[in-house]
mmCIF file of all heavy atoms in Angstrom:
data_model
loop_
_atom_site.group_PDB
_atom_site.id
_atom_site.type_symbol
_atom_site.label_atom_id
_atom_site.label_comp_id
_atom_site.label_asym_id
_atom_site.label_seq_id
_atom_site.Cartn_x
_atom_site.Cartn_y
_atom_site.Cartn_z
ATOM 1 N N PRO U 82 119.651 -33.440 55.619
ATOM 2 C CA PRO U 82 118.997 -34.274 54.518
ATOM 3 C C PRO U 82 117.465 -34.039 54.563
ATOM 4 O O PRO U 82 116.828 -34.044 53.509
ATOM 5 C CB PRO U 82 119.330 -35.724 54.973
ATOM 6 C CG PRO U 82 120.614 -35.537 55.782
ATOM 7 C CD PRO U 82 120.552 -34.252 56.515
ATOM 8 N N GLN U 83 116.840 -34.006 55.756
ATOM 9 C CA GLN U 83 115.446 -33.748 55.746
ATOM 10 C C GLN U 83 114.959 -32.382 55.278
ATOM 11 O O GLN U 83 114.107 -32.344 54.492
ATOM 12 C CB GLN U 83 115.030 -33.873 57.311
ATOM 13 C CG GLN U 83 115.282 -35.183 57.984
ATOM 14 C CD GLN U 83 114.914 -35.075 59.375
ATOM 15 O OE1 GLN U 83 113.642 -35.151 59.777
ATOM 16 N NE2 GLN U 83 115.833 -35.173 60.327
ATOM 17 N N LEU U 84 115.788 -31.328 55.540
ATOM 18 C CA LEU U 84 115.507 -30.052 55.020
ATOM 19 C C LEU U 84 115.681 -30.019 53.494
ATOM 20 O O LEU U 84 114.945 -29.413 52.716
ATOM 21 C CB LEU U 84 116.322 -28.971 55.669
ATOM 22 C CG LEU U 84 116.033 -28.708 57.111
ATOM 23 C CD1 LEU U 84 117.079 -27.827 57.695
ATOM 24 C CD2 LEU U 84 114.636 -28.043 57.237
ATOM 25 N N ARG U 85 116.697 -30.735 52.977
ATOM 26 C CA ARG U 85 116.963 -30.795 51.622
ATOM 27 C C ARG U 85 115.746 -31.450 50.860
ATOM 28 O O ARG U 85 115.301 -30.985 49.819
ATOM 29 C CB ARG U 85 118.370 -31.517 51.376
ATOM 30 C CG ARG U 85 118.660 -31.589 49.898
ATOM 31 C CD ARG U 85 120.134 -32.024 49.659
ATOM 32 N NE ARG U 85 120.333 -33.386 50.154
ATOM 33 C CZ ARG U 85 121.091 -33.683 51.089
ATOM 34 N NH1 ARG U 85 121.659 -32.803 51.884
ATOM 35 N NH2 ARG U 85 121.162 -35.023 51.485
ATOM 36 N N LYS U 86 115.288 -32.580 51.422
ATOM 37 C CA LYS U 86 114.191 -33.188 50.784
ATOM 38 C C LYS U 86 112.962 -32.330 50.831
ATOM 39 O O LYS U 86 112.286 -32.260 49.704
ATOM 40 C CB LYS U 86 113.820 -34.540 51.499
ATOM 41 C CG LYS U 86 112.775 -35.411 50.819
ATOM 42 C CD LYS U 86 112.546 -36.613 51.519
ATOM 43 C CE LYS U 86 111.550 -37.542 50.717
ATOM 44 N NZ LYS U 86 110.310 -36.836 50.456
ATOM 45 N N LEU U 87 112.674 -31.699 51.858
ATOM 46 C CA LEU U 87 111.498 -30.787 51.879
ATOM 47 C C LEU U 87 111.578 -29.637 50.898
ATOM 48 O O LEU U 87 110.603 -29.319 50.188
ATOM 49 C CB LEU U 87 111.303 -30.214 53.311
ATOM 50 C CG LEU U 87 110.959 -31.297 54.340
ATOM 51 C CD1 LEU U 87 111.056 -30.609 55.785
ATOM 52 C CD2 LEU U 87 109.431 -31.635 54.192
ATOM 53 N N ILE U 88 112.840 -29.102 50.739
ATOM 54 C CA ILE U 88 112.980 -28.093 49.730
ATOM 55 C C ILE U 88 112.842 -28.616 48.366
ATOM 56 O O ILE U 88 112.185 -28.006 47.488
ATOM 57 C CB ILE U 88 114.364 -27.372 49.964
ATOM 58 C CG1 ILE U 88 114.404 -26.641 51.280
ATOM 59 C CG2 ILE U 88 114.792 -26.517 48.715
ATOM 60 C CD1 ILE U 88 115.656 -26.076 51.735
ATOM 61 N N ASN U 89 113.387 -29.750 48.055
ATOM 62 C CA ASN U 89 113.318 -30.321 46.714
ATOM 63 C C ASN U 89 111.933 -30.644 46.295
ATOM 64 O O ASN U 89 111.524 -30.598 45.137
ATOM 65 C CB ASN U 89 114.102 -31.644 46.726
ATOM 66 C CG ASN U 89 115.625 -31.459 46.733
ATOM 67 O OD1 ASN U 89 116.109 -30.406 46.451
ATOM 68 N ND2 ASN U 89 116.418 -32.574 47.030
ATOM 69 N N ASP U 90 111.071 -30.929 47.398
ATOM 70 C CA ASP U 90 109.675 -31.436 47.058
ATOM 71 C C ASP U 90 108.696 -30.253 47.085
ATOM 72 O O ASP U 90 107.485 -30.484 46.864
ATOM 73 C CB ASP U 90 109.243 -32.377 48.082
ATOM 74 C CG ASP U 90 109.940 -33.830 47.970
ATOM 75 O OD1 ASP U 90 110.513 -34.084 46.983
ATOM 76 O OD2 ASP U 90 109.895 -34.580 49.011
ATOM 77 N N ALA U 91 109.239 -29.077 47.348
ATOM 78 C CA ALA U 91 108.327 -27.879 47.525
ATOM 79 C C ALA U 91 108.027 -27.183 46.220
ATOM 80 O O ALA U 91 107.120 -26.230 46.260
ATOM 81 C CB ALA U 91 108.999 -26.927 48.419
ATOM 82 N N GLY U 92 108.389 -27.526 45.131
ATOM 83 C CA GLY U 92 108.105 -26.909 43.819
ATOM 84 C C GLY U 92 108.420 -25.499 43.734
ATOM 85 O O GLY U 92 107.669 -24.693 43.075
ATOM 86 N N GLY U 93 109.543 -25.102 44.275
ATOM 87 C CA GLY U 93 110.047 -23.665 44.092
ATOM 88 C C GLY U 93 109.755 -22.777 45.139
ATOM 89 O O GLY U 93 110.251 -21.619 45.255
ATOM 90 N N LYS U 94 108.875 -23.140 46.094
ATOM 91 C CA LYS U 94 108.583 -22.315 47.228
ATOM 92 C C LYS U 94 109.464 -22.674 48.443
ATOM 93 O O LYS U 94 109.953 -23.796 48.444
ATOM 94 C CB LYS U 94 107.144 -22.358 47.676
ATOM 95 C CG LYS U 94 106.669 -23.629 48.330
ATOM 96 C CD LYS U 94 105.241 -23.505 48.767
ATOM 97 C CE LYS U 94 104.768 -24.854 49.477
ATOM 98 N NZ LYS U 94 103.495 -24.719 50.029
ATOM 99 N N PHE U 95 109.570 -21.750 49.447
ATOM 100 C CA PHE U 95 110.315 -22.131 50.631
ATOM 101 C C PHE U 95 109.317 -22.821 51.522
ATOM 102 O O PHE U 95 108.363 -22.126 51.973
ATOM 103 C CB PHE U 95 111.034 -20.925 51.239
ATOM 104 C CG PHE U 95 111.935 -21.402 52.370
ATOM 105 C CD1 PHE U 95 113.219 -21.759 52.085
ATOM 106 C CD2 PHE U 95 111.438 -21.409 53.701
ATOM 107 C CE1 PHE U 95 114.037 -22.182 53.178
ATOM 108 C CE2 PHE U 95 112.379 -21.824 54.790
ATOM 109 C CZ PHE U 95 113.593 -22.241 54.430
ATOM 110 N N PRO U 96 109.551 -24.043 51.939
ATOM 111 C CA PRO U 96 108.508 -24.798 52.578
ATOM 112 C C PRO U 96 108.298 -24.570 54.053
ATOM 113 O O PRO U 96 108.612 -25.543 54.900
ATOM 114 C CB PRO U 96 108.845 -26.307 52.268
ATOM 115 C CG PRO U 96 110.298 -26.208 52.241
ATOM 116 C CD PRO U 96 110.712 -24.897 51.624
ATOM 117 N N LEU U 97 108.047 -23.461 54.549
ATOM 118 C CA LEU U 97 107.875 -23.165 55.881
ATOM 119 C C LEU U 97 106.988 -24.035 56.660
ATOM 120 O O LEU U 97 107.320 -24.693 57.645
ATOM 121 C CB LEU U 97 107.541 -21.609 56.236
ATOM 122 C CG LEU U 97 107.245 -21.296 57.551
ATOM 123 C CD1 LEU U 97 108.497 -21.446 58.538
ATOM 124 C CD2 LEU U 97 106.778 -19.859 57.729
ATOM 125 N N GLN U 98 105.733 -24.058 56.154
ATOM 126 C CA GLN U 98 104.704 -24.939 56.910
ATOM 127 C C GLN U 98 105.133 -26.353 56.864
ATOM 128 O O GLN U 98 104.762 -27.073 57.806
ATOM 129 C CB GLN U 98 103.352 -24.675 56.296
ATOM 130 C CG GLN U 98 102.881 -23.239 56.468
ATOM 131 C CD GLN U 98 102.765 -22.868 57.987
ATOM 132 O OE1 GLN U 98 102.433 -23.701 58.882
ATOM 133 N NE2 GLN U 98 103.120 -21.715 58.301
ATOM 134 N N GLU U 99 105.607 -26.912 55.740
ATOM 135 C CA GLU U 99 106.023 -28.210 55.631
ATOM 136 C C GLU U 99 107.094 -28.615 56.663
ATOM 137 O O GLU U 99 107.056 -29.729 57.254
ATOM 138 C CB GLU U 99 106.504 -28.521 54.257
ATOM 139 C CG GLU U 99 105.330 -28.532 53.219
ATOM 140 C CD GLU U 99 105.043 -27.116 52.660
ATOM 141 O OE1 GLU U 99 105.525 -26.121 53.218
ATOM 142 O OE2 GLU U 99 104.327 -27.105 51.768
ATOM 143 N N ILE U 100 108.089 -27.622 56.759
ATOM 144 C CA ILE U 100 109.097 -27.916 57.865
ATOM 145 C C ILE U 100 108.514 -27.875 59.277
ATOM 146 O O ILE U 100 108.913 -28.814 60.053
ATOM 147 C CB ILE U 100 110.142 -26.800 57.736
ATOM 148 C CG1 ILE U 100 110.899 -26.905 56.350
ATOM 149 C CG2 ILE U 100 111.117 -26.926 58.828
ATOM 150 C CD1 ILE U 100 111.843 -25.795 56.102
ATOM 151 N N ILE U 101 107.557 -27.023 59.516
ATOM 152 C CA ILE U 101 107.035 -26.937 60.822
ATOM 153 C C ILE U 101 106.358 -28.271 61.098
ATOM 154 O O ILE U 101 106.489 -28.898 62.214
ATOM 155 C CB ILE U 101 105.915 -25.837 60.926
ATOM 156 C CG1 ILE U 101 106.685 -24.477 60.951
ATOM 157 C CG2 ILE U 101 105.108 -25.951 62.189
ATOM 158 C CD1 ILE U 101 105.825 -23.296 60.822
ATOM 159 N N GLU U 102 105.491 -28.894 60.244
ATOM 160 C CA GLU U 102 104.846 -30.109 60.318
ATOM 161 C C GLU U 102 105.876 -31.248 60.376
ATOM 162 O O GLU U 102 105.597 -32.163 61.222
ATOM 163 C CB GLU U 102 103.892 -30.286 59.134
ATOM 164 C CG GLU U 102 102.654 -29.425 59.233
ATOM 165 C CD GLU U 102 101.742 -29.697 60.483
ATOM 166 O OE1 GLU U 102 101.680 -30.868 60.703
ATOM 167 O OE2 GLU U 102 101.404 -28.728 61.042
ATOM 168 N N ALA U 103 106.844 -31.279 59.558
ATOM 169 C CA ALA U 103 107.770 -32.421 59.553
ATOM 170 C C ALA U 103 108.516 -32.706 60.837
ATOM 171 O O ALA U 103 108.834 -33.685 61.210
ATOM 172 C CB ALA U 103 108.751 -32.253 58.394
ATOM 173 N N PHE U 104 108.760 -31.581 61.570
ATOM 174 C CA PHE U 104 109.561 -31.667 62.833
ATOM 175 C C PHE U 104 108.632 -31.615 64.098
ATOM 176 O O PHE U 104 109.200 -31.636 65.151
ATOM 177 C CB PHE U 104 110.658 -30.527 62.861
ATOM 178 C CG PHE U 104 111.688 -30.841 61.775
ATOM 179 C CD1 PHE U 104 111.720 -30.311 60.615
ATOM 180 C CD2 PHE U 104 112.742 -31.764 62.151
ATOM 181 C CE1 PHE U 104 112.610 -30.522 59.644
ATOM 182 C CE2 PHE U 104 113.841 -31.963 61.211
ATOM 183 C CZ PHE U 104 113.702 -31.308 59.897
ATOM 184 N N LYS U 105 107.266 -31.430 63.834
ATOM 185 C CA LYS U 105 106.497 -31.454 65.011
ATOM 186 C C LYS U 105 106.560 -32.706 65.958
ATOM 187 O O LYS U 105 106.635 -33.734 65.405
ATOM 188 C CB LYS U 105 105.070 -31.217 64.510
ATOM 189 C CG LYS U 105 104.018 -31.136 65.692
ATOM 190 C CD LYS U 105 102.654 -30.624 65.022
ATOM 191 C CE LYS U 105 102.052 -31.639 64.101
ATOM 192 N NZ LYS U 105 100.688 -31.300 63.671
ATOM 193 N N GLY U 106 106.737 -32.476 67.255
ATOM 194 C CA GLY U 106 106.715 -33.624 68.126
ATOM 195 C C GLY U 106 108.263 -34.220 68.304
ATOM 196 O O GLY U 106 108.369 -35.190 68.983
ATOM 197 N N THR U 107 109.174 -33.612 67.568
ATOM 198 C CA THR U 107 110.500 -34.031 67.671
ATOM 199 C C THR U 107 111.318 -32.950 68.478
ATOM 200 O O THR U 107 110.893 -31.942 68.755
ATOM 201 C CB THR U 107 111.269 -34.193 66.323
ATOM 202 O OG1 THR U 107 111.487 -32.837 65.756
ATOM 203 C CG2 THR U 107 110.313 -34.860 65.322
ATOM 204 N N PRO U 108 112.649 -33.398 68.929
ATOM 205 C CA PRO U 108 113.412 -32.432 69.736
ATOM 206 C C PRO U 108 113.843 -31.213 68.834
ATOM 207 O O PRO U 108 114.178 -30.165 69.469
ATOM 208 C CB PRO U 108 114.660 -33.185 70.013
ATOM 209 C CG PRO U 108 114.233 -34.660 70.040
ATOM 210 C CD PRO U 108 113.113 -34.713 69.037
#
Side-chain angles (χ1 to χ4, degrees):
Q83 299 177 71
L84 291 171
R85 184 168 63 247
K86 184 179 187 307
L87 290 167
I88 291 170
N89 288 342
D90 293 345
K94 69 174 185 176
F95 188 85
L97 173 62
Q98 292 304 319
E99 290 84 350
I100 294 171
I101 291 173
E102 286 298 318
F104 290 95
K105 184 167 62 175
T107 76

